[in-house]
Amino acid sequence: MATVLLVRHGRTTANATGLLAGRTPGVALDAHGRDQAARTGDRIAAVPVAAVVSSPLDRCRETARAIVERQAVAPPWSVEDEITECDYGRWQGRRLDDLAKEDLWRTVQSHPSAVVFPGGESMTGMQARAVAAIRRHDAEIEAEHGPGAVWVAVSHGDIIKSVLADALGMHLDMFQRLEAGPASVSIVSYGASRPRVLAINTDSGDLSWLAKGVHAGDAAVGGGAGAPAADAPAPRIVT
């Protein structure tokens, strides 16, 4: 089974000023966001990735480029429209503190599966198209590069949270319990029987263990020993 690193774009000018950017064109990373993307690219550089797939929006392309540029061998990268930002309709471009006063805001927080943004899409539709795209790319990358392949999908906070909720078997109404901060890395490994969520919302830490591939067997009762240290010898079996 392949493994996908779900990377949220770095901080943008809209994030920093409390605006809901949505699909507004030309929203770029700010200086802090560029630093975040660079640090995330440095983390992922320890893992040879088979491909990078990005939302078409500028902030994700910038983040994807920072990841690709730090790979020892630049992987192919492409744009996937189905992992673009949610269509927030008439909410797009408005201040978050103003939106928080609307009745729909409370529904977004507590019952997102019932939400249809005015002039935009439903949150269930957002999740369905994003999950389908991630699973499709994952299957294609595994078929081409083998079950040990690692790839990167660069997307948006609500998109990543909805994909994680699906992988965790959570109802969409619970997805607000998850976080996906700017330039964070979450890790999902899909299998024939079920996905495994290996990390959520990380912004630091060694990822080199992924270079050895993710074990595809059954879940270890009791939790197992975890990934070996990068310089650890193979375990000995005493008979």
Side-chain angles (χ1 to χ4, degrees), residues 35-55:
D35 288 343
Q36 290 176 320
R39 288 196 299 272
T40 295
D42 289 339
R43 288 182 71 202
I44 297 174
V47 188
V49 300
V52 176
V53 179
S54 173
S55 157

Side-chain angles (χ1 to χ4, degrees), residues 47-174:
V47 188
V49 300
V52 176
V53 179
S54 173
S55 157
L57 297 180
D58 291 347
R59 54 196 185 270
C60 289
R61 289 175 182 259
E62 286 183 81
T63 304
R65 191 174 299 114
I67 294 168
V68 170
E69 288 174 349
R70 284 162 174 79
Q71 288 283 299
V73 178
W77 74 292
S78 60
V79 166
E80 171 56 71
D81 289 340
E82 296 302 304
I83 63 170
T84 195
E85 181 63 285
C86 184
D87 183 355
Y88 296 113
R90 291 190 292 276
W91 274 32
Q92 179 172 292
R94 294 179 58 191
R95 293 191 58 82
L96 293 172
D97 52 7
D98 288 337
L99 292 171
K101 300 171 186 175
E102 299 203 2
D103 290 342
L104 184 60
W105 180 273
R106 291 189 291 275
T107 309
V108 171
Q109 302 303 312
S110 62
H111 192 22
S113 66
V115 169
V116 180
F117 290 102
E121 72 178 327
S122 69
M123 296 194 84
T124 55
M126 172 199 76
Q127 182 185 44
R129 49 113 170 149
V131 168
I134 293 294
R135 287 179 175 262
R136 172 171 50 82
H137 280 282
D138 192 79
E140 291 172 353
I141 289 167
E142 180 175 333
E144 181 176 354
H145 298 280
V150 178
W151 65 286
V152 177
V154 184
S155 190
H156 308 269
D158 281 349
I159 299 294
I160 290 171
K161 287 163 57 179
S162 73
V163 172
L164 288 170
D166 169 77
L168 288 163
M170 294 169 57
H171 195 280
L172 183 62
D173 285 346
M174 300 174 70

